[in-house]
Amino acid sequence: MPTKTFFNLPEEKRQNLMNAAMREFSRASLADASIANIIKDACIPRGSFYQYFEDKADLFFYILEEHSASNRELMMSMAVKHKGDLFASSAEFFESTLHRFMHHEHRDFARNIFLNMNYKIEYKLILDVKNPTTTERIRDFYRSYMSLINRTGLNIRDEKELFHLIKILRAIIIQNFIQFFAGEADYEEVLRNFALELDLLKRGLYAPSGDMSE
Amino acid sequence: MPTKTFFNLPEEKRQNLMNAAMREFSRASLADASIANIIKDACIPRGSFYQYFEDKADLFFYILEEHSASNRELMMSMAVKHKGDLFASSAEFFESTLHRFMHHEHRDFARNIFLNMNYKIEYKLILDVKNPTTTERIRDFYRSYMSLINRTGLNIRDEKELFHLIKILRAIIIQNFIQFFAGEADYEEVLRNFALELDLLKRGLYAPSGDMSE
DNA sequence: ATTATATGTGACACGGTGTCATGTGTCAAT
DNA sequence: ATTGACACATGACACCGTGTCACATATAAT
């Protein structure tokens, strides 16, 4: 986490630094980005940087968490909009996020995130003992999200199975984002792939409704 | 790929270098490992290293491909053993691989692989234009593997759906390995989780057989 | 005015990378 | 035996990025 000093900074200076950081993390992955570039861009001395952040990763995960938070909000709003339909809300979340990735100013940043997605990036926020606030925020999110999901339409037995279903869905969503950014499939193709994969899941996970006759 | 010079090396010297590399890549991820440590350990001069490998990553992916190849072999043999039953063979592949991770000398290496798994590590071998041999090897593998799978027991329509099902399975397998190495779940727990997730998939992906009631 | 506290600053030591000029060994041709 | 061609060995070095630290400056409290 950034230091208190960082948050005491005048708004403009803080924004300036954050913008420079976004530019660098859009240019390169966490591993390849350099503090040297950020401070050169933001015109702040080296020593100041270390007064605000522990290191490169500290800044990176701070930015990442901000973006993740807005993503979680979108997931929640989708679940509400689709009245708890897990598959429908996941589908719209996927499509809308992919669309944002296509046209968004943060496309390169997202690209670097997904092509270098690893355990640390995917879970650090959850497990980071140093960040109990963030940890709690994410726990709350999952609790709220799961309680929003309407289980009567799903072929699952209990909360635990719902949890695993969400885990599977998340893995599939991330995998498709990665393929998109890797250029393995274009926008339309990724959408089709995801729809097909959702369908494979649904055939069993939706409570039988008559279309199981093959 | 290592240079011709590397392969011309006397067996012992080559092994010595590879052992040092394994030790370093077991100690640290690709990003954190250092050539300096490897050459110190193997007692070879810096210049020699660069005569054998382009850089750290070149050596790393060479080692990784060797291990991947043996993993692919295991998957094939499981498919044969289980007479093309995708789920049964995946289950045994998962269990047996996890078991090897538990007790194997290469446990730390695997840990660093999975906790730092990213697109490059997962797909580089497939996409690496510089390595047409490896690329072809992997394409062949998927072709052979898919042809081994018995589709009559599966609720899928065509080869394309089988491909996506395998994609989903792979994502789930990797995710569970990651959770294991991250210490989020122990051996037994991961096995249970994976079994549960397979079951969630099967309920729909296996052709209806009567247990779809409720 | 003095002290305390917060913040700013850049030179520097350290460690790792990749290169390159030079050294060594081998072998075939003369 | 000498020469040249080739493959390989070697470690000093230039370069680059990191994190620290001693010192400078600002602001507020007493």
Side-chain angles (χ1 to χ4, degrees), chain A:
Chain A
M1 275 293 283
T3 59
K4 199 165 60 64
T5 308
F6 176 70
F7 293 109
N8 288 341
L9 245 42
E11 176 67 18
E12 196 197 326
K13 191 169 179 182
R14 214 171 62 229
Q15 265 310 317
N16 181 40
L17 177 49
M18 292 306 274
N19 290 340
M22 270 308 283
R23 278 191 288 273
E24 179 64 357
F25 289 128
S26 299
R27 185 194 67 79
S29 67
L30 170 58
D32 293 336
S34 88
I35 296 174
N37 282 338
I38 296 173
I39 61 177
K40 206 187 326 167
D41 185 355
C43 293
I44 61 164
R46 187 160 197 82
S48 294
F49 180 91
Y50 286 97
Q51 203 127 32
Y52 309 144
F53 302 99
E54 212 172 295
D55 53 20
K56 205 174 34 167
D58 190 19
L59 168 55
F60 175 79
F61 284 109
Y62 171 63
I63 293 179
L64 184 60
E65 167 56 17
E66 287 200 328
H67 287 255
S68 304
S70 83
N71 256 2
R72 289 196 295 271
E73 265 174 46
L74 180 60
M75 274 191 74
M76 291 295 273
S77 70
M78 287 296 147
V80 172
K81 177 176 171 191
H82 289 277
K83 301 197 178 74
D85 184 326
L86 178 61
F87 284 98
S89 64
S90 294
E92 192 178 344
F93 170 78
F94 182 83
E95 189 171 341
S96 137
T97 304
L98 193 64
H99 189 269
R100 262 167 50 238
F101 285 155
M102 281 282 283
H103 306 291
H104 208 262
E105 48 176 330
H106 299 322
R107 195 185 58 211
D108 290 334
F109 178 66
R111 207 182 100 260
N112 282 326
I113 298 290
F114 280 98
L115 292 189
N116 297 282
M117 177 70 75
N118 61 22
Y119 178 77
K120 248 198 196 135
I121 293 184
E122 200 173 344
Y123 292 86
K124 169 159 187 162
L125 302 164
I126 298 173
L127 292 186
D128 195 350
V129 187
K130 289 194 223 155
N131 267 18
T133 315
T134 305
T135 305
E136 215 26 65
R137 219 193 294 176
I138 294 181
R139 289 240 173 81
D140 282 351
F141 164 74
Y142 273 103
R143 259 194 294 270
S144 313
Y145 184 72
M146 281 176 65
S147 72
L148 272 180
I149 299 304
N150 179 7
R151 266 151 57 185
T152 60
L154 297 171
N155 183 26
I156 55 170
R157 291 191 246 276
D158 50 30
E159 181 136 344
K160 191 176 156 201
E161 290 198 350
L162 175 58
F163 177 74
H164 283 271
L165 172 52
I166 291 174
K167 200 179 131 192
I168 292 173
L169 275 173
R170 194 182 54 189
I172 293 177
I173 289 174
I174 289 177
Q175 202 186 39
N176 278 289
F177 283 158
I178 290 174
Q179 292 198 320
F180 170 72
F181 282 116
E184 281 185 37
D186 62 24
Y187 182 75
E188 273 81 19
E189 211 173 338
V190 170
L191 280 184
R192 277 199 306 274
N193 287 347
F194 183 67
L196 195 157
E197 288 160 19
L198 268 199
D199 187 52
L200 284 176
L201 291 185
K202 278 202 292 195
R203 284 188 214 166
L205 289 160
Y206 266 133
S209 57
D211 64 338
M212 292 301 299
S213 51
E214 193 213 1

